[in-house]
Amino acid sequence: MPSPPDETKQKDNSAGYNMWTLPSELWPDTELDLLDSDELDDLIRNLPPRLAGDPEARAALAEQPHPDVMRRPL
Amino acid sequence: MTGISVLAFSTSENPLRALKCRQRIHLLQYLKDLGAETVVVEPEYFDRDYLAEFSAFYGVSAKQYPNTCARLHFFSSAFTTRELLLTAGGDQEWTEKLQQSYLGFSILRPVPYCELGRTVLQWYPDLTPTLPRRTDPSRVYRAHFLGLELSVEGLAWQQQDTRVASCATTALWSLLQSSALDEFHAVPSTVAITQAAHRTASYGARVFPSAGLTPEQICESIKECGLGPELFRGEVRMGDFSRQRFSTICASLIRSGYPCVLVGNLEGGVMPAHASHAMTCNGFREIGAWSVPAETVKFLDEQIEYLYIHDDNIGPSVRFRIMLDESDSEVALAHSSGVREVAASVVLRPSRPEYLGEQRDVEHPAKRFTCFRPEVVIAALPEGIRTSISQLLFLGHEEAEALLLDVNAIRRQKNRPAWGFGISAQFMNTAKYTGELLANQLSEDSPRLSTLRWSLAKDVPRMSQFLGVIRISLFGAPALDLLCDTTDSDHRLSIFATVLFHRGLGNLVLRLIKNDRLELGAVIRAYPTETNPATQL
């Protein structure tokens, strides 16, 4: 098994792959492996209540109302 | 009447060179780039599409058009009539040679200035296989003559013939050839498409000669073919697209196997103002994973650079570069004032691959305009897919963002740098996901592949025929897949199952679900665990 790739190197994407084309042997693993379930549960219990996300980032994908009001489905 | 003839591609007798239409320039260049050496001419050929046009229009013209076409076959090997006769006699060596060097075919209609009918040509060789040209809508076409069967993979293109088919009809005709739609309809002729568009949405216009179709008529025609139309409009000023929305929607559709008709305006060059046009996008070039800023969720495909487009004014598989409109004064003003970000409009420019050299022919049809400004994207999907690709991407962004907030909050507690997620989505036949996609990704780990497939079948027994697959990535690698039900409406889009690929993130997701912070359907681990070296089921 190859060793987990360095995060900085992956950001460079020198191999020229993306999430649909990356061979499975190059998938990274991370230090979160080292946390056991009890420790994770403690950390999760300390999380703040869920906040609303970034609406502007999603706005481009939201369907817009038809510009012609006469053709706008009601 | 002469029979089949074999000609050198470069000779002046090559029938392609005698055509009057501008598109011949692109075809000759394209075939030269592919290394065409020989053209075989079938002088009499009954073409299904032309026969439909003949029946609807040409057959009652006083000009007495013939009802037969010619068919040209192109090869990258050099041979003469002698070798073709050997092949007809069953010579194995030459039969294989012809099949291997087959570049495709083109139908020549007996209609001046609109000669180029159904044309299927091989794609250019793919020089960057790790980031491939995505041509999922392509299909295999088979041509038969002299007892030979020759095959070529592509998507059919043809020149617009305004008597029976406008650019919109021609673009839709190419779209409906997609291999992804094979199970759901028979490919209609251009005549049938034009007639279908007028059946319920004629707006008083005559059917033939065709004066063109509106986006709504294109959608009506798709419905008449038994498919579901999906229409996406631009969201920035004057109905233009932002790069994010346009590129992400086009790439997601093409990955899913569905070409899209792009409706918009040709600008610059010799084009008049408001030169409306429609063409078919049938491919794009994958882009490498790019650095997603920490604390953000970004669509992988918003940075794709190239689309491959069938333009009936130019030819098949024309590469267009996706660019931002630099002349937009409103954007420049907003950016310089720094008050708020204003998204620039996206435009497309023909862009010949650099390694093929510059396009020097001033008569080339791609030089008649400077850019195409898309305003509407239309796709045809099987009726069983009842949700839109934009809603799938929207859901993916919401879920990824919710997960990222928790992940980074935990990483901060452990003094780790924050992460960012990339996302991408596509529709996919369930059999293709569990078969081809998972096999490609876990090809070197048979036990993991086996247990993953077994687990999907056990935990999610009623998956729809098509899945909405949302992939979330970390540092460019797949971290998890969200598998969504496509059989309900956009407002009820739900997640069947989540497949976890990334061990560290997977452990965290499982604890977040256990602590009621996330709801992601059945959760399946596709990585080895301590309790089970193959996988934990």
Side-chain angles (χ1 to χ4, degrees):
Chain A
M1 282 288 288
S3 57
D6 168 54
E7 287 185 4
T8 314
K9 193 174 177 185
Q10 287 168 59
K11 285 177 187 174
D12 291 343
N13 190 37
S14 52
Y17 294 105
N18 70 30
M19 67 175 90
W20 298 107
T21 62
L22 187 73
S24 56
E25 67 269 20
L26 294 183
W27 294 358
D29 225 330
T30 68
E31 72 277 12
L32 268 178
D33 280 335
L34 305 176
L35 302 182
D36 65 30
S37 299
D38 291 339
E39 187 179 5
L40 273 178
D41 285 343
D42 286 340
L43 292 169
I44 290 168
R45 274 192 284 275
N46 288 332
L47 290 177
R50 222 176 253 306
L51 300 172
D54 175 7
E56 276 190 24
R58 291 192 299 269
L61 269 302
E63 288 311 308
Q64 308 296 314
H66 197 292
D68 180 349
V69 71
M70 296 301 288
R71 293 195 195 166
R72 193 176 297 167
L74 298 172
Chain B
M1 184 181 295
T2 57
I4 291 175
S5 54
V6 180
L7 304 166
F9 184 77
S10 56
T11 179
S12 59
E13 292 170 51
N14 179 351
L16 212 49
R17 297 183 190 279
L19 302 184
K20 294 172 179 163
C21 58
R22 286 193 193 88
Q23 291 86 339
R24 80 180 186 287
I25 300 171
H26 176 81
L27 281 188
L28 285 166
Q29 178 78 67
Y30 191 97
L31 284 160
K32 188 181 167 198
D33 293 341
L34 285 178
E37 290 281 347
T38 308
V39 54
V40 173
V41 184
E42 289 182 275
E44 300 288 339
Y45 178 76
F46 285 115
D47 179 64
R48 174 176 169 262
D49 287 285
Y50 179 68
L51 282 176
E53 293 165 7
F54 185 85
S55 173
F57 190 86
Y58 294 110
V60 289
S61 165
K63 289 194 174 170
Q64 293 186 303
Y65 291 98
N67 68 349
T68 57
C69 301
R71 183 165 64 164
L72 312 183
H73 301 274
F74 307 103
F75 299 84
S76 60
S77 58
F79 59 89
T80 64
T81 308
R82 180 182 166 277
E83 284 81 23
L84 190 60
L85 285 169
L86 283 174
T87 311
D91 183 280
Q92 196 62 32
E93 185 185 339
W94 271 102
T95 301
E96 284 175 14
K97 196 166 182 178
L98 259 58
Q99 284 171 339
Q100 286 166 6
S101 66
Y102 191 53
L103 300 176
F105 63 86
S106 187
I107 307 290
L108 299 189
R109 296 181 288 220
V111 185
Y113 297 99
C114 302
E115 297 101 331
L116 286 165
R118 187 161 50 99
T119 297
V120 183
L121 299 180
Q122 203 179 84
W123 287 93
Y124 281 139
D126 201 336
L127 301 181
T128 54
T130 60
L131 293 171
R133 184 192 294 125
R134 292 298 298 248
T135 59
D136 300 65
S138 293
R139 59 185 298 150
V140 174
Y141 293 82
R142 290 184 172 81
H144 301 88
F145 71 102
L146 292 178
L148 279 172
E149 180 179 281
L150 301 166
S151 61
V152 58
E153 187 170 342
L155 198 72
W157 167 91
Q158 67 171 294
Q159 183 190 354
Q160 152 180 192
D161 177 356
T162 49
R163 299 173 185 94
V164 291
S166 63
C167 59
T169 301
T170 311
L172 185 52
W173 175 82
S174 283
L175 178 150
L176 292 170
Q177 308 261 335
S178 169
S179 56
L181 302 172
D182 272 357
E183 294 174 51
F184 306 97
H185 78 129
V187 178
S189 65
T190 48
V191 166
I193 290 170
T194 306
Q195 288 170 333
H198 283 267
R199 199 163 294 139
T200 54
S202 191
Y203 303 134
R206 65 191 308 166
V207 182
F208 302 120
S210 174
L213 305 180
T214 64
E216 288 77 11
Q217 283 182 303
I218 295 174
C219 291
E220 284 298 318
S221 194
I222 290 171
K223 280 199 289 183
E224 290 285 316
C225 291
L227 299 165
E230 281 289 333
L231 185 148
F232 308 93
R233 291 183 188 277
E235 86 286 22
V236 297
R237 296 163 312 290
M238 306 292 288
D240 292 351
F241 275 96
S242 68
R243 182 175 196 140
Q244 184 189 49
R245 177 172 167 83
F246 178 77
S247 302
T248 303
I249 286 175
C250 288
S252 304
L253 287 167
I254 297 293
R255 253 202 202 91
S256 307
Y258 306 118
C260 42
V261 171
L262 310 179
V263 181
N265 290 301
L266 295 171
E267 296 179 355
V270 299
M271 291 296 140
H274 309 296
S276 299
H277 189 43
M279 45 196 198
T280 315
C281 175
N282 63 339
F284 74 96
R285 171 69 65 185
E286 288 274 15
I287 189 163
W290 42 282
S291 182
V292 175
E295 315 266 12
T296 63
V297 176
K298 292 288 184 185
F299 297 104
L300 164 77
D301 297 323
E302 71 182 61
Q303 301 224 6
I304 61 168
E305 280 191 77
Y306 297 107
L307 296 179
Y308 299 91
I309 289 175
H310 278 7
D311 182 343
D312 64 271
N313 281 340
I314 302 178
S317 306
V318 183
R319 194 176 81 156
F320 279 75
R321 186 167 194 180
I322 303 171
M323 306 181 80
L324 292 176
D325 182 7
E326 293 152 2
S327 64
D328 191 324
S329 56
E330 191 179 336
V331 175
L333 184 65
H335 287 186
S336 63
S337 67
V339 175
R340 58 187 278 270
E341 178 112 356
V342 175
S345 307
V346 78
V347 292
L348 308 178
R349 295 209 169 116
S351 170
R352 186 171 156 80
E354 292 75 14
Y355 76 93
L356 293 173
E358 193 183 340
Q359 179 55 258
R360 291 196 177 87
D361 192 336
V362 292
E363 294 294 314
H364 194 282
K367 291 192 178 278
R368 291 172 58 78
F369 62 95
T370 54
C371 72
F372 173 80
R373 186 181 298 271
E375 294 181 342
V376 173
V377 174
I378 300 173
L381 274 59
E383 283 192 328
I385 298 179
R386 293 168 173 164
T387 190
S388 66
I389 197 73
S390 57
Q391 188 60 29
L392 191 67
L393 289 158
F394 189 93
L395 174 74
H397 199 281
E398 275 194 328
E399 296 293 343
E401 200 167 52
L403 175 60
L404 187 64
L405 281 170
D406 283 354
V407 167
N408 282 337
I410 289 172
R411 288 181 65 79
R412 268 193 298 276
Q413 292 184 58
K414 298 296 290 181
N415 294 317
R416 303 286 189 192
W419 281 345
F421 285 155
I423 67 166
S424 181
Q426 62 177 301
F427 293 122
M428 189 178 281
N429 192 303
T430 301
K432 187 177 178 185
Y433 180 81
T434 55
E436 186 182 322
L437 190 79
L438 292 183
N440 284 346
Q441 308 226 299
L442 299 174
S443 56
E444 295 180 2
D445 196 338
S446 181
R448 280 170 68 192
L449 181 60
S450 168
T451 47
L452 176 55
R453 286 172 170 166
W454 188 269
S455 188
L456 273 170
K458 178 172 73 72
D459 296 344
V460 198
R462 287 203 304 269
M463 279 202 279
S464 48
Q465 181 185 4
F466 293 96
L467 292 174
V469 179
I470 299 165
R471 176 157 287 186
I472 297 176
S473 72
L474 188 58
F475 305 118
L480 56 94
D481 282 348
L482 306 176
L483 308 183
C484 301
D485 178 8
T486 59
T487 59
D488 213 324
S489 66
D490 276 353
H491 298 293
R492 295 279 182 273
L493 185 56
S494 59
I495 299 170
F496 275 134
T498 298
V499 178
L500 302 170
F501 296 113
H502 186 287
R503 187 205 317 263
L505 188 62
N507 288 344
L508 179 52
V509 166
L510 289 168
R511 303 319 296 178
L512 287 168
I513 290 171
K514 190 165 185 296
N515 285 277
D516 297 325
R517 300 278 300 189
L518 289 175
E519 173 56 60
L520 296 177
V523 178
I524 294 153
R525 281 176 276 187
Y527 51 84
T529 65
E530 287 176 8
T531 51
N532 182 340
T535 189
Q536 172 77 35
L537 298 182

